[in-house]
Amino acid sequence: MVFENIKSEIENWMKKVLLHYDINEKDINIEITEPPLKEYGDFSCNLAFMLSKILKKNPFEIAKDIVNNILPNFKDKDNEKSLIETVSVEKPGFINFALDIKKFLKIFFSNMPSITQMPKYGNIQELILIEHTSVNPNKALHVGHIRNAVIGDCLYRLLLSTGHNVKVLNYVDDSGLQVADIIVAFKYTEIPFGEENIDGTTKKFDHYCGNYVYVKINEMYSTRPDLEIKRKIILKELENPNTEVSNFTQQIVKRVLRDQLKTCWDLKCHYDIVNFESQIIQSDLWNKIFKILKEKQIIQFETSGKNIGCWVFKSKTEGDKVLVRSDSTITYFAKDIPYAIWKLGYIENPFELEFFSQQWDDTNLYQTTLKNRKRKEISNEHQLINFDIKKVITIIDYRQERLQSLLVEILIKLGIEKTKYNYLGYEPVTLSNKTAELLGFNLKNKKSTQMSGRKGIFIEADDALNLLMIKSCEEISKRNEHLSGREVSQIAKEIAISSIRYYFVKHDIGKMITFDINDSLSLEGDTGPYIQYSYARGKRIFNKIDNKNYYLDGIKLTDLDLDLDLTEIELVKQLCKFSTTIKESVNNTDPKLVARFLFTLSTLFNNFYEESPILKEVENKKSIRIKILYSTLLIMENCMNIIGITPLEKM
RNA sequence: GGGUCCAUAGUUCAGUUUGGAUAGAAUGGCUGCCUGCGGAGCAGUUGGUCGAGGGUUCAAAUCCCUCUGGACCCGCCA
């Protein structure tokens, strides 16, 4: 807020300068930026460079002219309320502005409640649907899946806390090849169906399926071609809800799903609905959509060429895509169309919602079920169609992006606005050479190794969490001898989660991550625990303060009190950037910005902590520092909530 | 073959959308700082031809072209 106002103040001046030169402000993109060095002031403007092109003059001369001759005409008039103290010209032609620090601080201290508050600007009548996680239910989550879940969950938290109406879907592909693989294994091979692992230890069922069954069956295909035929039959049978295979598969899927969700809940991810691919297929959705696609001539029946006998979508940019094969079965891609339209609420909802489970945050998770089945306890709590669905955001592996763009092409032809259906593609997580070697895969002359569920090359999410738990427990015990084992492990869990979640949001979504089991799971430096530690130190001080209210509200500050140290001013400036950062993060659908902001804030706070003692100060100086401390804690809490890391009082 | 993306310090990454001043963090290495509000910290130091070459510009890590190296997409698989 504060910074935004100052920037627009400068911008208004610059517009007046343009008037003076008789130049239309639309012809020039005025930029107010923050300069790299303190000597250059607090804000900087590129106007002179822009004008030099039009006026055909040296930018330095223009800048001098603006600052010495033009600007004083109107700047001096509103000098009283202006937060800008000095304006100067620098080398090539920058116009720099320095803040009147005391005025700035005065505004900060008198507006603390609004500066520390989450900016709210969502419309509660408009629903935003986020789909994330969506892991095939034949394995446990590995670190790549965490990237998906954490990005999706942070986005959910970001939108929710800025006043939007958001619901989260977890889409379960319970009728695909990967599930069919483990069903083949259980039904047609010696591979035992049970919770006992081969070595006799009990393991989570999702680990057993992914780590052993799935890898094993994929090895077997090369020597047992009959199994691949069985798989094809199973895939076909899964389209019919009344087959024995379907029932059996549902049992397996739900069991794996519950184990997967345990991991997600350990990571503090929230969901509202689990929905299933098999139900999309078994519902009448496809037939309805198929009819419309034909009527609107969005797809064509091929009578010649390589796709003879198929229904295809002819994309201008991507070429031909088969939706219905010549044997009248539908392709993987086609299945996504009714699903997308269902999510957008453009078709009558064939599903009802039924209680599935209680979650870690005491909310209910619902599952979709097909109507027309007699069931008890149908819940009306989530009626998707009651809301105007503003948009759908799907978090996907970027390798799916091309299919999604095709899908959007079709949606647009169906008359759906382009802005409603969004997909956020993230690059995969790969393993560092050292980590790949630890797993027994030594791939030389490669920088990193792609994970593969089929080959068993992956680091499981639960293992990563456990490793961090162990590390954290050691550290906590070192520092807190009196804590019980139970308390230690509770705190350790929060630290482990924070390390993992922060790690996966801080990276750019469009860049590959090289995951290293040692370096990536760290508790020091640019990490979640560093942020928690900074918070804990601050909170510790705050708890020790007597008469908090007196220092927060009871002292009237004068100009003389506002003579602050550099570290204090830097921290206050960062606090003032809070709401702008949040808005930028929402506008760019990029939770990373919050993570980066939070880390910088923590660093500045640690500097403040080192240099500005609080408890031993008195009166006005103490009051100033307590106010800064208090607002830092509030803003940290807000940001930590978005990233999904818990503020701790001891660790 | 057609297309998309990536390359920045020993390592892992910001910065590229919208060109701007001496390219930033973290980690690693080296060196200091706990009778102090918690040392999971702080301060200092080391470390870069921003893959290569050309172009546009007053100004290029950022925009354009070429090349090199790498990842991925392009199926009547899912």
Side-chain angles (χ1 to χ4, degrees):
Chain A
M1 270 288 276
V2 185
F3 271 34
E4 282 166 18
N5 292 345
I6 300 169
K7 280 188 181 180
S8 67
E9 182 188 357
I10 296 175
E11 207 175 315
N12 284 334
W13 289 345
M14 293 302 114
K15 282 178 183 168
K16 287 182 187 168
V17 169
L18 286 179
L19 263 177
H20 177 272
Y21 281 109
D22 203 20
I23 290 168
N24 192 332
E25 62 180 67
K26 281 170 193 158
D27 294 339
I28 281 190
N29 183 21
I30 301 173
E31 272 184 7
I32 316 290
T33 53
E34 286 169 49
L37 290 178
K38 289 184 198 94
E39 297 96 276
Y40 297 142
D42 299 287
F43 299 96
S44 176
C45 183
N46 65 342
L47 188 68
F49 297 109
M50 294 305 188
L51 286 177
S52 77
K53 262 181 200 142
I54 300 172
L55 302 174
K56 306 247 156 62
K57 268 174 74 179
N58 184 330
F60 191 56
E61 294 303 319
I62 298 173
K64 279 199 285 191
D65 192 35
I66 292 174
V67 172
N68 296 328
N69 302 326
I70 308 172
L71 215 46
N73 292 336
F74 41 86
K75 189 197 170 270
D76 292 344
K77 278 181 199 157
D78 44 31
N79 212 14
E80 273 310 298
K81 47 184 176 166
S82 173
L83 283 177
I84 299 297
E85 192 173 36
T86 57
V87 187
S88 59
V89 181
E90 206 61 46
K91 288 184 288 185
F94 291 100
I95 303 172
N96 294 329
F97 304 83
L99 274 178
D100 184 325
I101 294 295
K102 288 202 176 180
K103 277 188 192 168
F104 165 69
L105 290 173
K106 207 183 267 179
I107 288 188
F108 170 77
F109 286 114
S110 52
N111 289 285
M112 275 173 43
S114 72
I115 288 169
T116 53
Q117 213 172 37
M118 260 330 267
K120 305 259 179 190
Y121 49 92
N123 181 348
I124 210 77
Q125 294 306 314
E126 296 174 330
L127 181 65
I128 299 174
L129 268 187
I130 298 180
E131 183 207 311
H132 68 77
T133 309
S134 304
V135 178
N136 274 306
N138 69 320
K139 55 169 160 270
L141 273 74
H142 61 57
V143 287
H145 301 122
I146 305 185
R147 188 173 194 186
N148 184 313
V150 167
I151 290 169
D153 192 62
C154 288
L155 199 55
Y156 163 74
R157 288 160 175 270
L158 178 66
L159 292 173
L160 190 72
S161 55
T162 45
H164 297 81
N165 184 6
V166 207
K167 298 280 180 216
V168 181
L169 297 179
N170 184 357
Y171 182 51
V172 181
D173 181 357
D174 59 343
S175 54
L177 207 62
Q178 297 203 16
V179 164
D181 279 333
I182 61 166
I183 302 302
V184 170
F186 288 137
K187 286 188 81 80
Y188 300 107
T189 74
E190 313 306 309
I191 294 172
F193 167 70
E195 42 261 75
E196 251 95 26
N197 198 8
I198 297 309
D199 58 10
T201 58
T202 49
K203 244 190 160 183
K204 268 171 84 196
F205 189 61
D206 58 343
H207 288 261
Y208 174 61
C209 290
N211 227 327
Y212 182 72
V213 182
Y214 185 54
V215 174
K216 202 83 188 158
I217 188 76
N218 273 292
E219 287 167 9
M220 287 171 91
Y221 284 136
S222 55
T223 52
R224 299 263 316 263
D226 59 307
L227 291 177
E228 288 199 58
I229 296 165
K230 297 280 190 203
R231 180 172 66 178
K232 227 173 204 165
I233 297 168
I234 286 174
L235 274 175
K236 187 73 199 160
E237 285 190 60
L238 287 179
E239 290 179 16
N240 183 346
N242 300 318
T243 58
E244 185 266 329
V245 168
S246 250
N247 277 325
F248 178 68
T249 303
Q250 278 312 301
Q251 284 174 38
I252 300 286
V253 163
K254 293 278 164 73
R255 229 178 121 184
V256 174
L257 178 61
R258 281 180 192 275
D259 278 354
Q260 287 181 340
L261 283 170
K262 270 181 206 158
T263 307
C264 302
W265 292 337
D266 276 345
L267 288 167
K268 295 182 188 284
C269 292
H270 167 92
Y271 306 89
D272 293 291
I273 298 166
V274 279
N275 53 318
F276 301 89
E277 186 186 68
S278 62
Q279 292 173 9
I280 301 277
I281 295 167
Q282 290 159 12
S283 74
D284 204 26
L285 284 180
W286 168 250
N287 288 331
K288 285 180 181 161
I289 303 289
F290 189 32
K291 197 170 162 231
I292 298 169
L293 290 172
K294 284 191 279 193
E295 279 169 7
K296 294 201 168 185
Q297 301 191 350
I298 293 168
I299 58 174
Q300 271 101 47
F301 186 73
E302 293 285 64
T303 52
S304 64
K306 66 168 184 160
N307 293 329
I308 185 164
C310 301
W311 285 91
V312 283
F313 172 66
K314 291 176 178 296
S315 160
K316 273 180 192 155
T317 51
E318 305 287 331
D320 295 359
K321 191 79 199 163
V322 173
L323 299 189
V324 180
R325 303 187 190 96
S326 51
D327 66 357
S328 79
T329 56
I330 67 173
T331 62
Y332 169 77
F333 172 64
K335 290 176 192 171
D336 260 6
I337 302 171
Y339 177 44
I341 292 170
W342 173 74
K343 281 198 282 190
L344 289 161
Y346 274 78
I347 197 157
E348 198 192 331
N349 184 11
F351 307 122
E352 274 169 346
L353 295 175
E354 172 182 281
F355 177 79
F356 183 74
S357 178
Q358 188 95 9
Q359 299 186 88
W360 64 277
D361 57 356
D362 289 331
T363 58
N364 287 343
L365 175 62
Y366 296 87
Q367 62 176 329
T368 54
T369 57
L370 279 167
K371 282 180 183 169
N372 305 325
R373 287 201 215 165
K374 286 188 180 170
R375 283 183 188 275
K376 293 171 192 169
E377 293 177 43
I378 298 292
S379 162
N380 292 316
E381 218 169 294
H382 293 283
Q383 286 299 330
L384 295 177
I385 39 177
N386 280 356
F387 292 100
D388 180 15
I389 294 178
K390 189 187 179 191
K391 62 175 163 182
V392 169
I393 305 171
T394 313
I395 319 292
I396 50 158
D397 186 311
Y398 85 111
R399 286 168 287 201
Q400 302 279 334
E401 271 187 354
R402 205 161 174 165
L403 282 183
Q404 290 287 308
S405 74
L406 265 172
L407 182 56
V408 171
E409 255 189 81
I410 292 179
L411 295 177
I412 289 171
K413 291 206 168 181
L414 283 166
I416 295 168
E417 300 97 293
K418 197 181 178 182
T419 53
K420 286 207 168 185
Y421 192 86
N422 303 273
Y423 50 89
L424 210 56
Y426 62 93
E427 290 264 340
V429 179
T430 61
L431 300 178
S432 74
N433 276 345
K434 274 192 216 160
T435 303
E437 265 176 53
L438 273 177
L439 292 175
F441 296 91
N442 191 357
L443 303 174
K444 281 173 188 165
N445 60 42
K446 276 202 159 191
K447 230 187 151 187
S448 61
T449 306
Q450 290 267 356
M451 285 190 276
S452 161
R454 212 175 290 267
K455 293 179 193 158
I457 313 176
F458 49 75
I459 299 287
E460 280 168 346
D462 290 333
D463 290 347
L465 256 176
N466 280 333
L467 232 145
L468 277 166
M469 283 279 285
I470 294 166
K471 275 194 194 180
S472 312
C473 278
E474 279 174 22
E475 296 294 321
I476 298 162
S477 308
K478 255 193 258 172
R479 288 154 235 251
N480 303 276
E481 286 169 1
H482 57 285
L483 284 180
S484 71
R486 189 191 166 85
E487 283 173 303
V488 169
S489 68
Q490 270 174 357
I491 297 167
K493 191 174 173 187
E494 296 296 351
I495 293 171
I497 294 165
S498 119
S499 173
I500 290 213
R501 288 192 62 121
Y502 182 80
Y503 177 81
F504 284 105
V505 271
K506 78 169 178 178
H507 289 93
D508 189 87
I509 196 169
K511 295 240 177 99
M512 210 171 76
I513 290 182
T514 306
F515 184 87
D516 185 273
I517 189 90
N518 293 315
D519 297 348
S520 301
L521 303 179
S522 169
L523 307 175
E524 288 163 21
D526 184 8
T527 64
Y530 173 88
I531 291 160
Q532 284 174 311
Y533 181 69
S534 316
Y535 179 88
R537 292 171 119 188
K539 189 72 180 177
R540 190 87 157 184
I541 298 171
F542 192 71
N543 288 342
K544 285 185 185 170
I545 299 166
D546 297 322
N547 295 325
K548 289 187 184 67
N549 289 339
Y550 171 66
Y551 290 109
L552 284 173
D553 298 315
I555 293 180
K556 188 146 174 60
L557 298 172
T558 67
D559 275 12
L560 283 176
D561 299 320
L562 295 176
D563 210 3
L564 303 196
D565 298 342
L566 196 61
T567 46
E568 293 168 321
I569 295 168
E570 290 300 308
L571 178 55
V572 170
K573 281 182 185 168
Q574 177 75 358
L575 294 173
C576 289
K577 291 176 194 164
F578 168 59
S579 75
T580 328
T581 306
I582 297 294
K583 282 181 193 162
E584 202 183 342
S585 185
V586 172
N587 292 342
N588 301 349
T589 42
D590 191 359
K592 176 189 69 182
L593 300 179
V594 180
R596 298 257 162 220
F597 170 83
L598 187 50
F599 176 65
T600 308
L601 179 60
S602 303
T603 305
L604 292 171
F605 176 73
N606 275 326
N607 292 339
F608 168 75
Y609 178 94
E610 297 284 332
E611 293 193 22
S612 308
I614 294 172
L615 295 179
K616 69 177 181 188
E617 287 296 339
V618 290
E619 286 306 300
N620 294 25
K621 189 154 205 164
K622 187 169 186 174
S623 165
I624 292 256
R625 291 188 175 166
I626 287 175
K627 284 182 177 184
I628 295 175
L629 168 68
Y630 179 61
S631 15
T632 304
L633 292 175
L634 288 179
I635 289 181
M636 282 189 85
E637 283 164 15
N638 279 329
C639 293
M640 287 167 94
N641 178 44
I642 291 171
I643 306 303
I645 62 189
T646 306
L648 297 173
E649 306 209 351
K650 52 185 149 181
M651 58 187 282

